[in-house]
Amino acid sequence: MQKSVVFDFDGVIIDSLEVQRKAFFDSFQVVSNGPLPSFEEFLGHSGDSIPNIFSKMNLPLSMVEHYRRIASSNIHLIEIVEGMEEILRFIQNEGWKCGLCTGKDRKRTIHILKEFELIDYFDTVVCSDDVTHPKPHPESLLLAIEQLHSNVDHSVFVGDGKNDLICAREAQVKSIAVAWGHNSVEVLQQESPSYFAYSVDELRHALQNLFHHPRVSL
């Protein structure tokens, strides 16, 4: 059976924190002159779609189009997490399939992947607007695994958010939580990931253990 690694995008492969912060506050100020909402709460919902997050935060849905427009026009503020392109190349060289499962919409996701020349590393890309139920629901992850011609026993999901780990658990897929993203280690540990990676090197070792260790049923 084909082995597959599925990644979350923001906070794992790319550092888009400043873009998200700007788009969040600027889009709110376009539609409201009220007190600024909590950016920390916004980040706590990462992995879900922007419309769902704004609904959960009781924010105007009219923010959505402004958020996406502002985020797209500030793509230059995004950086690739140091060492992650090497990890993607390593996965490719191992012959494993590689997928992306993100709460971003498809238009912005493909734009960023092409802009930063990352798109060729991914055999499939599943975005929040490709499914009925985005993360933390398991639908998007299961779709990615299906498109990679793999199954839940031969796959792992790498994420930096609570919703990523809930999604993996609900899909019955092993998970690797990374510590360099937008959520605290304490919050992630509460979701009991299969592995925890504090560095990109530890992520590589976790992947090698999952796919090469004789006692792991992968």
Side-chain angles (χ1 to χ4, degrees):
M1 176 59 68
Q2 181 65 59
K3 297 170 182 175
S4 68
V5 184
V6 183
F7 289 92
D8 175 46
F9 200 20
D10 296 270
V12 178
I13 293 172
I14 59 170
D15 180 357
S16 57
L17 189 65
E18 292 312 309
V19 176
Q20 292 181 72
R21 191 193 313 274
K22 180 173 179 57
F24 181 66
F25 288 130
D26 287 5
S27 62
F28 178 78
Q29 290 175 314
V30 170
V31 303
S32 173
N33 58 5
L36 293 176
S38 168
F39 184 60
E40 287 68 30
E41 182 183 350
F42 172 79
L43 291 179
H45 292 296
S46 64
D48 205 341
S49 68
I50 292 297
N52 283 355
I53 293 173
F54 288 169
S55 291
K56 289 175 180 177
M57 293 182 68
N58 295 313
L59 294 172
L61 288 180
S62 55
M63 284 176 62
V64 173
E65 64 172 304
H66 298 295
Y67 180 95
R68 289 173 173 167
R69 171 180 54 80
I70 294 164
S72 293
S73 64
N74 285 278
I75 193 173
H76 59 282
L77 297 176
I78 292 174
E79 296 181 353
I80 301 174
V81 171
E82 186 175 357
M84 280 307 299
E85 193 165 2
E86 287 75 13
I87 289 285
L88 295 173
R89 198 174 298 122
F90 163 74
I91 290 168
Q92 204 171 55
N93 291 339
E94 288 288 324
W96 305 335
K97 292 296 184 182
C98 188
L100 195 66
C101 178
T102 177
K104 265 187 169 48
D105 59 279
R106 175 163 287 275
K107 182 179 179 181
R108 286 193 300 135
T109 300
I110 299 302
H111 180 199
I112 294 167
L113 288 173
K114 288 181 175 178
E115 183 74 17
F116 289 90
E117 299 182 347
L118 295 172
I119 196 161
D120 289 342
Y121 291 112
F122 296 98
D123 300 294
T124 193
V125 175
V126 176
C127 304
S128 61
D129 50 352
D130 293 326
V131 294
T132 305
H133 306 290
K135 295 180 287 185
H137 193 281
E139 181 185 354
S140 54
L141 177 55
L142 291 172
L143 178 59
I145 291 170
E146 178 185 345
Q147 292 178 349
L148 293 172
H149 305 291
S150 187
N151 64 25
V152 297
D153 294 325
H154 292 78
S155 301
V156 62
F157 189 35
V158 183
D160 75 313
K162 179 178 180 178
N163 283 337
D164 299 323
L165 303 181
I166 294 171
C167 173
R169 185 171 65 243
E170 292 297 313
Q172 298 185 318
V173 173
K174 292 179 179 66
S175 60
I176 302 174
V178 302
W180 57 82
H182 303 155
N183 293 276
S184 73
V185 169
E186 291 74 22
V187 168
L188 299 180
Q189 286 175 334
Q190 289 173 7
E191 301 305 328
S192 303
S194 309
Y195 283 79
F196 212 104
Y198 290 90
S199 67
V200 173
D201 280 344
E202 287 189 6
L203 173 58
R204 183 195 297 264
H205 292 317
L207 290 172
Q208 288 173 321
N209 285 337
L210 275 167
F211 288 137
H212 293 315
H213 200 291
R215 289 179 295 177
V216 178
S217 60
L218 281 167

